[in-house]
Amino acid sequence: MATLFEAWQGVQGRIAAACTACTRNAAEISLLAVSKTFPASDVRALYELGQRSFGENYAQELSDKHTQLADCTDLIWHFIGPLQSNKTRIVAECADWVHTVERVKIAERLNAQRPEHLPPLNVCLQVNVSGEASKSGVAPDQVIQLAQAIAALPRLKLRGLMCIPEATDDEVKLAKQFQLLKQCLAHLIEQGFELDTLSMGMSSDLELAIANGTTLVRVGSAIFGARQYSTQQEQQ
Ligand SMILES: *Cc1c(COP(=O)(O)O)cnc(C)c1O
């Protein structure tokens, strides 16, 4: 079995190869290591190898790891899970980034709860690019309206857009959904928003995301291995 180091290097190799294939510079792509369900000791091990950005899906798990790794002062925490009102305080206090803002109400709570001593919370809007009714995210034609509301909140800094495409192997479909997110970002930039982040691509589709303009890939299992969910996490 590959070591954590080998797996992490392997993902960086995939990113580099995908960039070469579409003549992008690998320095344009950030690697977010998605550590949900894995222990703080794994995060620490990867941090010691040089990884700095980590993604978590569950507020309580983020809070626990944030405490356990408080000595890793330049570790950057990204919250990438569904965000309910009763969990915004933890995220406002522990995260550096949130990728899953889809409602003004949640944004207002994060803005009000962001501690004074911390810089503004970096925010991406989650966009429902597949149009599936069950999917989280704001509809593409509502993105501007939500972005305008968030621009008025001083404790949040809007950085870009995020998507989770349809669960399919159909690369044509996936590419269309990635392109839609890219177009939404371009549209916002045309309207004067200063944005630099397209959060799309995971273990199975990071190459396709890179070919379609991503700037941040969120990679879990290809680095840490297969996840085993506890009953408690499934209920969150
Ligand atoms: C779990 C998760 C990931 C990582 O998925 P892998 O397939 O393990 O790479 C990325 N993004 C989000 C939003 C996730 O919930």
Side-chain angles (χ1 to χ4, degrees):
M1 217 176 84
T3 64
L4 186 59
F5 178 70
E6 287 163 351
W8 180 60
Q9 292 267 294
V11 169
Q12 287 177 329
R14 282 176 61 188
I15 293 171
C19 285
T20 304
C22 63
T23 63
R24 293 188 64 189
N25 183 343
E28 292 170 20
I29 316 290
S30 303
L31 171 58
L32 179 64
V34 178
S35 46
K36 64 180 178 215
T37 79
F38 290 95
S41 56
D42 283 1
V43 175
R44 185 179 295 280
L46 199 57
Y47 175 85
E48 283 169 0
L49 293 171
Q51 175 68 31
R52 287 294 174 268
S53 295
F54 291 87
E56 289 289 336
N57 283 58
Y58 309 100
Q60 192 53 51
E61 189 179 348
L62 168 67
S63 170
D64 292 345
K65 289 181 191 168
H66 182 263
T67 303
Q68 289 166 324
L69 298 163
D71 58 310
C72 303
T73 47
D74 59 349
L75 194 159
I76 302 165
W77 287 113
H78 292 239
F79 187 79
I80 61 172
L83 188 47
Q84 283 124 24
S85 298
N86 61 348
K87 297 287 166 56
T88 52
R89 183 174 298 279
I90 294 179
V91 172
E93 290 176 355
C94 299
D96 301 290
W97 286 70
V98 184
H99 291 227
T100 44
V101 172
E102 55 168 350
R103 284 189 286 148
V104 179
K105 188 187 161 209
I106 293 285
E108 286 172 346
R109 289 178 67 90
L110 291 168
N111 181 67
Q113 293 167 344
R114 181 68 170 169
E116 291 277 330
H117 69 278
L118 294 176
L121 182 61
N122 296 293
V123 167
C124 291
L125 307 182
Q126 183 173 355
V127 182
N128 181 353
V129 290
S130 67
E132 296 165 281
S134 61
K135 268 282 166 64
S136 303
V138 61
D141 62 358
Q142 306 284 305
V143 170
I144 297 246
Q145 212 183 331
L146 182 57
Q148 282 164 344
I150 286 174
L153 302 174
R155 302 296 294 143
L156 304 184
K157 184 170 169 58
L158 186 61
R159 297 294 296 270
L161 303 177
M162 175 272 205
C163 75
I164 304 174
E166 203 174 327
T168 172
D169 294 334
D170 183 338
E171 295 210 343
V172 176
K173 256 191 190 169
L174 287 173
K176 263 195 197 145
Q177 294 174 19
F178 287 149
Q179 280 294 325
L180 177 55
L181 195 70
K182 188 181 170 181
Q183 286 160 13
C184 288
L185 188 82
H187 193 39
L188 285 176
I189 291 171
E190 268 169 34
Q191 301 289 313
F193 290 93
E194 287 179 26
L195 305 173
D196 57 12
T197 303
L198 260 189
S199 167
M200 58 188 200
M202 318 202 291
S203 292
S204 60
D205 57 13
L206 68 89
E207 286 85 357
L208 197 63
I210 288 171
N212 287 285
T214 189
T215 68
L216 183 154
V217 291
R218 309 179 307 263
V219 181
S221 47
I223 296 176
F224 293 105
R227 283 182 291 276
Q228 283 170 351
Y229 287 94
S230 71
T231 319
Q232 184 216 340
Q233 278 158 344
E234 278 165 6
Q235 286 168 354
Q236 276 191 357

